[in-house]
């Protein structure tokens, strides 16, 4: 796993946006896996700036979001449909037909989940999957104990996730939907590249366990150690519990040195 440690949140967002930009310039019909939450907001902001100021073209891009709550309508201010519209989709030229977010109002969830997997496969698979990490080590809504081979499915959120997400529901944990649809860990692991983003001390323990701890379903993000192309981009605070910080910094400095030769 490549670990990139930056001093500010803005820098980590910039690096993530540059990885996506470079991939998009090489492959205009890029398939992006997208995440919600506070972590990727800076990344979306940077990509919107690239669209508006540099003419980065998203017209052939296809997107698949990781997850969505079940039990609130798409138009709910805290739905991930609303989040994506506000932070990204309303500001770039990704065509409506190419945007996919798990459907929180599907009548038959099982059939919907199977169809979501089929749509990802039909699009040729995900080229770059953006991931945040929960304080409990979850990726998407794959909570502790998720099968490391799981596919898109209905899940129940853990108390730690409900507590963390209550801040978006005026601090009212009982207002956070307990059930969600999430891409599975097996689905995520099939992405050609994963970008794991984290900032702040609240994520340092989860990052240390995910990057340097044993691979276990009790820390779902730890499976990324088995992914052939995961780049973990974090700030100093999120890196503060890692043991090998100096080594990661030296490795990244050497990579930049080689690239500039
Ligand atoms: P956050 O959420 O970006 O809002 O911290 C990340 C997650 O829970 O996956």
């Amino acid at each position: 796993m490549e670990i990139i440690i930056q001093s500010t949140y803005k820098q980590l967002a910039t690096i993530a946006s540059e990885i996506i930009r470079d991939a998009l310039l090489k492959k205009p019909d890029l398939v992006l896996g997208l995440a919600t939450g506070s972590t990727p907001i800076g990344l979306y902001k940077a990509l919107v700036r690239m669209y508006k100021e540099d003419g980065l073209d998203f017209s052939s891009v296809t997107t698949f979001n990781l997850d969505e709550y079940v039990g609130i309508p798409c138009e709910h201010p805290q739905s991930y449909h609303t989040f994506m519209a506000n932070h990204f989709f309303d500001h770039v030229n990704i065509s409506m037909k190419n945007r996919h977010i798990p459907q929180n109002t599907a009548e038959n969830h099982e059939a919907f989940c199977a169809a979501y997997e089929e749509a990802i496969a039909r699009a040729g698979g995900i080229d770059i999957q953006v991931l945040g990490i929960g304080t409990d080590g979850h990726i998407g809504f794959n909570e502790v104990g998720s099968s490391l081979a799981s596919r898109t499915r209905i899940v129940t959120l853990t108390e730690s996730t409900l507590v963390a997400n209550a801040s978006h529901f005026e601090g009212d944990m009982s207002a956070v939907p307990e059930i969600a649809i999430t891409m599975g860990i097996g689905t995520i692991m099939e992405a050609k590249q994963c970008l794991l983003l984290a900032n702040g001390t609240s994520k340092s323990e989860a990052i240390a366990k995910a990057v340097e701890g044993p691979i276990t379903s009790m820390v779902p993000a730890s499976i990324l150690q088995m992914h052939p192309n995961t780049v973990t981009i974090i700030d100093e605070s999120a890196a503060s519990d890692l043991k090998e910080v100096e080594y990661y910094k030296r490795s990244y400095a050497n990579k930049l040195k080689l690239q500039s030769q």
Side-chain angles (χ1 to χ4, degrees):
M1 197 188 292
E2 183 180 4
I3 317 291
I4 302 178
I5 301 168
Q6 294 291 297
S7 33
T8 67
Y9 172 69
K10 194 161 180 216
Q11 284 167 324
L12 82 84
T14 301
I15 291 194
S17 69
E18 287 171 353
I19 291 173
I20 291 177
R21 178 200 58 200
D22 293 350
L24 181 49
L25 291 174
K26 277 197 203 116
K27 183 177 188 257
D29 60 346
L30 198 68
V31 181
L32 283 175
L34 298 177
T36 52
S38 46
T39 311
I41 289 177
L43 161 64
Y44 295 136
K45 218 169 166 180
L47 291 173
V48 168
R49 191 205 59 73
M50 288 170 175
Y51 166 70
K52 290 194 169 150
E53 293 175 19
D54 308 336
L56 189 63
D57 181 16
F58 290 84
S59 60
S60 301
V61 166
T62 298
T63 65
F64 290 92
N65 265 77
L66 277 172
D67 47 19
E68 175 59 289
Y69 294 117
V70 172
I72 54 173
C74 296
E75 318 70 65
H76 189 284
Q78 297 309 330
S79 80
Y80 290 165
H81 282 74
T82 303
F83 176 99
M84 289 309 299
N86 290 346
H87 292 285
F88 194 43
F89 291 154
D90 283 356
H91 312 288
V92 291
N93 63 337
I94 298 174
S95 98
M96 285 295 274
K97 68 175 187 352
N98 290 349
R99 307 171 187 180
H100 304 85
I101 302 180
Q103 186 53 256
N104 43 11
T105 51
E107 267 172 34
N108 181 338
H109 292 302
E110 213 169 299
F112 174 81
C113 292
Y116 204 68
E117 291 275 344
E118 277 163 28
I120 293 172
R122 251 196 328 272
I126 291 170
D127 291 305
I128 301 181
Q129 175 66 58
V130 178
L131 297 167
I133 185 169
T135 50
D136 59 356
H138 73 204
I139 44 175
F141 273 140
N142 293 287
E143 302 285 36
V144 291
S146 290
S147 160
L148 298 178
S150 52
R151 310 302 305 190
T152 302
R153 69 202 186 289
I154 292 281
V155 291
T156 293
L157 303 184
T158 57
E159 190 169 335
S160 107
T161 299
L162 296 175
V163 169
N165 292 7
S167 59
H168 303 293
F169 290 81
E170 294 167 350
D172 179 7
M173 193 176 123
S174 68
V176 185
E178 272 187 55
I179 296 173
I181 297 181
T182 185
M183 265 187 214
I185 297 177
T187 322
I188 292 168
M189 287 294 283
E190 284 171 10
K192 295 174 190 83
Q193 182 174 40
C194 290
L195 300 184
L196 176 64
L197 311 180
N199 64 293
T201 40
S202 66
K203 299 293 173 66
S204 61
E205 202 184 322
I207 284 291
K209 286 182 180 163
V211 173
E212 294 178 340
I215 297 171
T216 164
S217 65
M218 293 310 284
V219 183
S222 63
I223 191 66
L224 294 169
Q225 294 174 33
M226 295 292 289
H227 190 281
N229 189 3
T230 286
V231 186
T232 296
I233 313 173
I234 53 182
D235 70 355
E236 296 276 0
S237 307
S240 57
D241 283 330
L242 287 171
K243 290 194 188 77
E244 299 294 340
V245 167
E246 290 317 312
Y247 174 68
Y248 305 139
K249 287 186 175 173
R250 209 152 46 76
S251 299
Y252 184 55
N254 279 332
K255 182 182 164 186
L256 293 181
K257 214 187 288 173
L258 285 172
Q259 276 173 355
S260 67
Q261 274 168 9

PDB file of all heavy atoms in Angstrom, residues 110-139:
ATOM      1  N   GLU A 110     -32.977  -6.853  -2.749  1.00  0.00           N
ATOM      2  CA  GLU A 110     -32.065  -7.895  -3.219  1.00  0.00           C
ATOM      3  C   GLU A 110     -31.847  -7.782  -4.729  1.00  0.00           C
ATOM      4  O   GLU A 110     -30.713  -7.834  -5.213  1.00  0.00           O
ATOM      5  CB  GLU A 110     -32.660  -9.252  -2.877  1.00  0.00           C
ATOM      6  CG  GLU A 110     -31.611 -10.281  -2.566  1.00  0.00           C
ATOM      7  CD  GLU A 110     -32.247 -11.516  -1.977  1.00  0.00           C
ATOM      8  OE1 GLU A 110     -32.880 -11.412  -0.897  1.00  0.00           O
ATOM      9  OE2 GLU A 110     -32.132 -12.564  -2.625  1.00  0.00           O
ATOM     10  N   ALA A 111     -32.963  -7.575  -5.459  1.00  0.00           N
ATOM     11  CA  ALA A 111     -32.857  -7.445  -6.914  1.00  0.00           C
ATOM     12  C   ALA A 111     -32.086  -6.175  -7.252  1.00  0.00           C
ATOM     13  O   ALA A 111     -31.253  -6.163  -8.166  1.00  0.00           O
ATOM     14  CB  ALA A 111     -34.251  -7.388  -7.538  1.00  0.00           C
ATOM     15  N   PHE A 112     -32.311  -5.101  -6.489  1.00  0.00           N
ATOM     16  CA  PHE A 112     -31.589  -3.864  -6.758  1.00  0.00           C
ATOM     17  C   PHE A 112     -30.082  -4.070  -6.586  1.00  0.00           C
ATOM     18  O   PHE A 112     -29.282  -3.634  -7.414  1.00  0.00           O
ATOM     19  CB  PHE A 112     -32.050  -2.707  -5.853  1.00  0.00           C
ATOM     20  CG  PHE A 112     -31.178  -1.514  -6.084  1.00  0.00           C
ATOM     21  CD1 PHE A 112     -31.411  -0.690  -7.169  1.00  0.00           C
ATOM     22  CD2 PHE A 112     -30.054  -1.297  -5.295  1.00  0.00           C
ATOM     23  CE1 PHE A 112     -30.536   0.357  -7.457  1.00  0.00           C
ATOM     24  CE2 PHE A 112     -29.190  -0.255  -5.578  1.00  0.00           C
ATOM     25  CZ  PHE A 112     -29.438   0.578  -6.655  1.00  0.00           C
ATOM     26  N   CYS A 113     -29.689  -4.725  -5.482  1.00  0.00           N
ATOM     27  CA  CYS A 113     -28.254  -4.927  -5.195  1.00  0.00           C
ATOM     28  C   CYS A 113     -27.593  -5.743  -6.310  1.00  0.00           C
ATOM     29  O   CYS A 113     -26.476  -5.427  -6.743  1.00  0.00           O
ATOM     30  CB  CYS A 113     -28.071  -5.613  -3.846  1.00  0.00           C
ATOM     31  SG  CYS A 113     -28.559  -4.567  -2.460  1.00  0.00           S
ATOM     32  N   ALA A 114     -28.307  -6.783  -6.778  1.00  0.00           N
ATOM     33  CA  ALA A 114     -27.753  -7.608  -7.864  1.00  0.00           C
ATOM     34  C   ALA A 114     -27.612  -6.767  -9.127  1.00  0.00           C
ATOM     35  O   ALA A 114     -26.601  -6.851  -9.846  1.00  0.00           O
ATOM     36  CB  ALA A 114     -28.656  -8.815  -8.114  1.00  0.00           C
ATOM     37  N   ALA A 115     -28.621  -5.914  -9.389  1.00  0.00           N
ATOM     38  CA  ALA A 115     -28.577  -5.066 -10.596  1.00  0.00           C
ATOM     39  C   ALA A 115     -27.441  -4.038 -10.500  1.00  0.00           C
ATOM     40  O   ALA A 115     -26.811  -3.697 -11.511  1.00  0.00           O
ATOM     41  CB  ALA A 115     -29.928  -4.362 -10.780  1.00  0.00           C
ATOM     42  N   TYR A 116     -27.162  -3.559  -9.294  1.00  0.00           N
ATOM     43  CA  TYR A 116     -26.070  -2.579  -9.106  1.00  0.00           C
ATOM     44  C   TYR A 116     -24.727  -3.230  -9.460  1.00  0.00           C
ATOM     45  O   TYR A 116     -23.900  -2.647 -10.159  1.00  0.00           O
ATOM     46  CB  TYR A 116     -26.073  -2.091  -7.653  1.00  0.00           C
ATOM     47  CG  TYR A 116     -25.430  -0.734  -7.438  1.00  0.00           C
ATOM     48  CD1 TYR A 116     -26.019   0.423  -7.941  1.00  0.00           C
ATOM     49  CD2 TYR A 116     -24.246  -0.610  -6.723  1.00  0.00           C
ATOM     50  CE1 TYR A 116     -25.442   1.673  -7.738  1.00  0.00           C
ATOM     51  CE2 TYR A 116     -23.668   0.644  -6.510  1.00  0.00           C
ATOM     52  CZ  TYR A 116     -24.272   1.777  -7.013  1.00  0.00           C
ATOM     53  OH  TYR A 116     -23.692   3.022  -6.804  1.00  0.00           O
ATOM     54  N   GLU A 117     -24.548  -4.453  -8.977  1.00  0.00           N
ATOM     55  CA  GLU A 117     -23.315  -5.196  -9.299  1.00  0.00           C
ATOM     56  C   GLU A 117     -23.202  -5.400 -10.820  1.00  0.00           C
ATOM     57  O   GLU A 117     -22.127  -5.241 -11.391  1.00  0.00           O
ATOM     58  CB  GLU A 117     -23.333  -6.571  -8.614  1.00  0.00           C
ATOM     59  CG  GLU A 117     -23.202  -6.501  -7.108  1.00  0.00           C
ATOM     60  CD  GLU A 117     -21.747  -6.424  -6.632  1.00  0.00           C
ATOM     61  OE1 GLU A 117     -20.835  -6.733  -7.426  1.00  0.00           O
ATOM     62  OE2 GLU A 117     -21.531  -6.037  -5.472  1.00  0.00           O
ATOM     63  N   GLU A 118     -24.339  -5.738 -11.440  1.00  0.00           N
ATOM     64  CA  GLU A 118     -24.320  -5.975 -12.899  1.00  0.00           C
ATOM     65  C   GLU A 118     -23.981  -4.691 -13.646  1.00  0.00           C
ATOM     66  O   GLU A 118     -23.249  -4.717 -14.635  1.00  0.00           O
ATOM     67  CB  GLU A 118     -25.683  -6.491 -13.378  1.00  0.00           C
ATOM     68  CG  GLU A 118     -25.837  -7.987 -13.187  1.00  0.00           C
ATOM     69  CD  GLU A 118     -27.298  -8.422 -13.264  1.00  0.00           C
ATOM     70  OE1 GLU A 118     -28.094  -7.749 -13.958  1.00  0.00           O
ATOM     71  OE2 GLU A 118     -27.635  -9.427 -12.608  1.00  0.00           O
ATOM     72  N   ALA A 119     -24.508  -3.568 -13.159  1.00  0.00           N
ATOM     73  CA  ALA A 119     -24.234  -2.282 -13.828  1.00  0.00           C
ATOM     74  C   ALA A 119     -22.743  -1.930 -13.736  1.00  0.00           C
ATOM     75  O   ALA A 119     -22.153  -1.427 -14.695  1.00  0.00           O
ATOM     76  CB  ALA A 119     -25.092  -1.178 -13.203  1.00  0.00           C
ATOM     77  N   ILE A 120     -22.133  -2.220 -12.590  1.00  0.00           N
ATOM     78  CA  ILE A 120     -20.686  -1.963 -12.443  1.00  0.00           C
ATOM     79  C   ILE A 120     -19.915  -2.834 -13.449  1.00  0.00           C
ATOM     80  O   ILE A 120     -19.022  -2.350 -14.150  1.00  0.00           O
ATOM     81  CB  ILE A 120     -20.212  -2.248 -10.995  1.00  0.00           C
ATOM     82  CG1 ILE A 120     -20.833  -1.240 -10.016  1.00  0.00           C
ATOM     83  CG2 ILE A 120     -18.689  -2.205 -10.909  1.00  0.00           C
ATOM     84  CD1 ILE A 120     -20.579  -1.540  -8.542  1.00  0.00           C
ATOM     85  N   ALA A 121     -20.308  -4.105 -13.528  1.00  0.00           N
ATOM     86  CA  ALA A 121     -19.617  -5.019 -14.451  1.00  0.00           C
ATOM     87  C   ALA A 121     -19.806  -4.560 -15.899  1.00  0.00           C
ATOM     88  O   ALA A 121     -18.853  -4.551 -16.694  1.00  0.00           O
ATOM     89  CB  ALA A 121     -20.137  -6.439 -14.254  1.00  0.00           C
ATOM     90  N   ARG A 122     -21.050  -4.141 -16.241  1.00  0.00           N
ATOM     91  CA  ARG A 122     -21.338  -3.684 -17.615  1.00  0.00           C
ATOM     92  C   ARG A 122     -20.508  -2.461 -17.987  1.00  0.00           C
ATOM     93  O   ARG A 122     -20.125  -2.274 -19.129  1.00  0.00           O
ATOM     94  CB  ARG A 122     -22.820  -3.342 -17.757  1.00  0.00           C
ATOM     95  CG  ARG A 122     -23.587  -4.344 -18.601  1.00  0.00           C
ATOM     96  CD  ARG A 122     -24.942  -3.830 -19.070  1.00  0.00           C
ATOM     97  NE  ARG A 122     -25.597  -2.921 -18.164  1.00  0.00           N
ATOM     98  CZ  ARG A 122     -26.401  -3.263 -17.164  1.00  0.00           C
ATOM     99  NH1 ARG A 122     -26.632  -4.539 -16.916  1.00  0.00           N
ATOM    100  NH2 ARG A 122     -26.970  -2.343 -16.404  1.00  0.00           N
ATOM    101  N   ALA A 123     -20.234  -1.626 -16.988  1.00  0.00           N
ATOM    102  CA  ALA A 123     -19.437  -0.412 -17.243  1.00  0.00           C
ATOM    103  C   ALA A 123     -17.947  -0.739 -17.382  1.00  0.00           C
ATOM    104  O   ALA A 123     -17.134   0.142 -17.642  1.00  0.00           O
ATOM    105  CB  ALA A 123     -19.654   0.592 -16.111  1.00  0.00           C
ATOM    106  N   GLY A 124     -17.608  -2.013 -17.178  1.00  0.00           N
ATOM    107  CA  GLY A 124     -16.208  -2.412 -17.327  1.00  0.00           C
ATOM    108  C   GLY A 124     -15.458  -2.424 -15.998  1.00  0.00           C
ATOM    109  O   GLY A 124     -14.231  -2.522 -15.974  1.00  0.00           O
ATOM    110  N   GLY A 125     -16.186  -2.293 -14.888  1.00  0.00           N
ATOM    111  CA  GLY A 125     -15.540  -2.279 -13.567  1.00  0.00           C
ATOM    112  C   GLY A 125     -15.106  -0.871 -13.194  1.00  0.00           C
ATOM    113  O   GLY A 125     -15.051   0.021 -14.044  1.00  0.00           O
ATOM    114  N   ILE A 126     -14.822  -0.689 -11.915  1.00  0.00           N
ATOM    115  CA  ILE A 126     -14.457   0.641 -11.407  1.00  0.00           C
ATOM    116  C   ILE A 126     -12.953   0.856 -11.586  1.00  0.00           C
ATOM    117  O   ILE A 126     -12.149  -0.001 -11.219  1.00  0.00           O
ATOM    118  CB  ILE A 126     -14.892   0.764  -9.925  1.00  0.00           C
ATOM    119  CG1 ILE A 126     -16.429   0.805  -9.869  1.00  0.00           C
ATOM    120  CG2 ILE A 126     -14.268   1.994  -9.262  1.00  0.00           C
ATOM    121  CD1 ILE A 126     -17.027   0.683  -8.494  1.00  0.00           C
ATOM    122  N   ASP A 127     -12.599   1.980 -12.190  1.00  0.00           N
ATOM    123  CA  ASP A 127     -11.171   2.293 -12.379  1.00  0.00           C
ATOM    124  C   ASP A 127     -10.559   2.825 -11.090  1.00  0.00           C
ATOM    125  O   ASP A 127      -9.485   2.401 -10.685  1.00  0.00           O
ATOM    126  CB  ASP A 127     -11.001   3.326 -13.501  1.00  0.00           C
ATOM    127  CG  ASP A 127     -11.349   2.751 -14.857  1.00  0.00           C
ATOM    128  OD1 ASP A 127     -10.764   1.714 -15.215  1.00  0.00           O
ATOM    129  OD2 ASP A 127     -12.226   3.318 -15.543  1.00  0.00           O
ATOM    130  N   ILE A 128     -11.214   3.824 -10.484  1.00  0.00           N
ATOM    131  CA  ILE A 128     -10.691   4.403  -9.235  1.00  0.00           C
ATOM    132  C   ILE A 128     -11.839   4.483  -8.232  1.00  0.00           C
ATOM    133  O   ILE A 128     -12.879   5.083  -8.517  1.00  0.00           O
ATOM    134  CB  ILE A 128     -10.125   5.823  -9.451  1.00  0.00           C
ATOM    135  CG1 ILE A 128      -8.990   5.801 -10.479  1.00  0.00           C
ATOM    136  CG2 ILE A 128      -9.629   6.410  -8.126  1.00  0.00           C
ATOM    137  CD1 ILE A 128      -8.360   7.167 -10.734  1.00  0.00           C
ATOM    138  N   GLN A 129     -11.635   3.873  -7.086  1.00  0.00           N
ATOM    139  CA  GLN A 129     -12.642   3.925  -6.027  1.00  0.00           C
ATOM    140  C   GLN A 129     -12.151   4.858  -4.914  1.00  0.00           C
ATOM    141  O   GLN A 129     -11.105   4.626  -4.314  1.00  0.00           O
ATOM    142  CB  GLN A 129     -12.881   2.526  -5.451  1.00  0.00           C
ATOM    143  CG  GLN A 129     -13.827   2.490  -4.265  1.00  0.00           C
ATOM    144  CD  GLN A 129     -15.254   2.891  -4.639  1.00  0.00           C
ATOM    145  OE1 GLN A 129     -15.868   2.268  -5.505  1.00  0.00           O
ATOM    146  NE2 GLN A 129     -15.771   3.933  -4.000  1.00  0.00           N
ATOM    147  N   VAL A 130     -12.903   5.924  -4.666  1.00  0.00           N
ATOM    148  CA  VAL A 130     -12.594   6.841  -3.566  1.00  0.00           C
ATOM    149  C   VAL A 130     -13.205   6.261  -2.289  1.00  0.00           C
ATOM    150  O   VAL A 130     -14.368   5.847  -2.278  1.00  0.00           O
ATOM    151  CB  VAL A 130     -13.194   8.242  -3.839  1.00  0.00           C
ATOM    152  CG1 VAL A 130     -12.921   9.179  -2.667  1.00  0.00           C
ATOM    153  CG2 VAL A 130     -12.646   8.818  -5.144  1.00  0.00           C
ATOM    154  N   LEU A 131     -12.414   6.253  -1.215  1.00  0.00           N
ATOM    155  CA  LEU A 131     -12.895   5.710   0.058  1.00  0.00           C
ATOM    156  C   LEU A 131     -12.562   6.650   1.210  1.00  0.00           C
ATOM    157  O   LEU A 131     -11.442   7.172   1.280  1.00  0.00           O
ATOM    158  CB  LEU A 131     -12.206   4.367   0.358  1.00  0.00           C
ATOM    159  CG  LEU A 131     -12.450   3.205  -0.597  1.00  0.00           C
ATOM    160  CD1 LEU A 131     -11.453   2.084  -0.316  1.00  0.00           C
ATOM    161  CD2 LEU A 131     -13.883   2.699  -0.459  1.00  0.00           C
ATOM    162  N   GLY A 132     -13.506   6.834   2.118  1.00  0.00           N
ATOM    163  CA  GLY A 132     -13.191   7.392   3.426  1.00  0.00           C
ATOM    164  C   GLY A 132     -13.043   6.202   4.373  1.00  0.00           C
ATOM    165  O   GLY A 132     -13.106   5.047   3.960  1.00  0.00           O
ATOM    166  N   ILE A 133     -12.848   6.486   5.643  1.00  0.00           N
ATOM    167  CA  ILE A 133     -12.769   5.394   6.627  1.00  0.00           C
ATOM    168  C   ILE A 133     -13.541   5.819   7.873  1.00  0.00           C
ATOM    169  O   ILE A 133     -13.476   6.986   8.283  1.00  0.00           O
ATOM    170  CB  ILE A 133     -11.293   5.039   6.941  1.00  0.00           C
ATOM    171  CG1 ILE A 133     -11.185   3.820   7.867  1.00  0.00           C
ATOM    172  CG2 ILE A 133     -10.536   6.228   7.550  1.00  0.00           C
ATOM    173  CD1 ILE A 133      -9.754   3.265   8.006  1.00  0.00           C
ATOM    174  N   GLY A 134     -14.300   4.907   8.432  1.00  0.00           N
ATOM    175  CA  GLY A 134     -14.999   5.211   9.681  1.00  0.00           C
ATOM    176  C   GLY A 134     -14.037   5.117  10.862  1.00  0.00           C
ATOM    177  O   GLY A 134     -12.974   4.489  10.751  1.00  0.00           O
ATOM    178  N   THR A 135     -14.391   5.706  11.984  1.00  0.00           N
ATOM    179  CA  THR A 135     -13.523   5.598  13.167  1.00  0.00           C
ATOM    180  C   THR A 135     -13.420   4.130  13.600  1.00  0.00           C
ATOM    181  O   THR A 135     -12.473   3.750  14.280  1.00  0.00           O
ATOM    182  CB  THR A 135     -14.073   6.443  14.341  1.00  0.00           C
ATOM    183  OG1 THR A 135     -15.462   6.125  14.509  1.00  0.00           O
ATOM    184  CG2 THR A 135     -13.936   7.930  14.067  1.00  0.00           C
ATOM    185  N   ASP A 136     -14.384   3.314  13.181  1.00  0.00           N
ATOM    186  CA  ASP A 136     -14.330   1.882  13.494  1.00  0.00           C
ATOM    187  C   ASP A 136     -13.660   1.075  12.379  1.00  0.00           C
ATOM    188  O   ASP A 136     -13.645  -0.151  12.416  1.00  0.00           O
ATOM    189  CB  ASP A 136     -15.756   1.344  13.730  1.00  0.00           C
ATOM    190  CG  ASP A 136     -16.667   1.552  12.512  1.00  0.00           C
ATOM    191  OD1 ASP A 136     -16.223   2.182  11.522  1.00  0.00           O
ATOM    192  OD2 ASP A 136     -17.824   1.088  12.544  1.00  0.00           O
ATOM    193  N   GLY A 137     -13.117   1.764  11.385  1.00  0.00           N
ATOM    194  CA  GLY A 137     -12.413   1.064  10.304  1.00  0.00           C
ATOM    195  C   GLY A 137     -13.296   0.634   9.148  1.00  0.00           C
ATOM    196  O   GLY A 137     -12.854  -0.075   8.250  1.00  0.00           O
ATOM    197  N   HIS A 138     -14.557   1.095   9.129  1.00  0.00           N
ATOM    198  CA  HIS A 138     -15.415   0.663   8.012  1.00  0.00           C
ATOM    199  C   HIS A 138     -15.037   1.368   6.708  1.00  0.00           C
ATOM    200  O   HIS A 138     -14.476   2.460   6.718  1.00  0.00           O
ATOM    201  CB  HIS A 138     -16.912   0.828   8.341  1.00  0.00           C
ATOM    202  CG  HIS A 138     -17.422   2.236   8.350  1.00  0.00           C
ATOM    203  ND1 HIS A 138     -18.537   2.613   9.072  1.00  0.00           N
ATOM    204  CD2 HIS A 138     -17.015   3.365   7.725  1.00  0.00           C
ATOM    205  CE1 HIS A 138     -18.766   3.896   8.878  1.00  0.00           C
ATOM    206  NE2 HIS A 138     -17.867   4.382   8.076  1.00  0.00           N
ATOM    207  N   ILE A 139     -15.331   0.707   5.599  1.00  0.00           N
ATOM    208  CA  ILE A 139     -15.247   1.341   4.275  1.00  0.00           C
ATOM    209  C   ILE A 139     -16.605   1.154   3.610  1.00  0.00           C
ATOM    210  O   ILE A 139     -17.190   0.083   3.689  1.00  0.00           O
ATOM    211  CB  ILE A 139     -14.089   0.799   3.386  1.00  0.00           C
ATOM    212  CG1 ILE A 139     -14.010  -0.734   3.443  1.00  0.00           C
ATOM    213  CG2 ILE A 139     -12.773   1.456   3.742  1.00  0.00           C
ATOM    214  CD1 ILE A 139     -12.953  -1.326   2.493  1.00  0.00           C
TER     215      ILE A 139
END
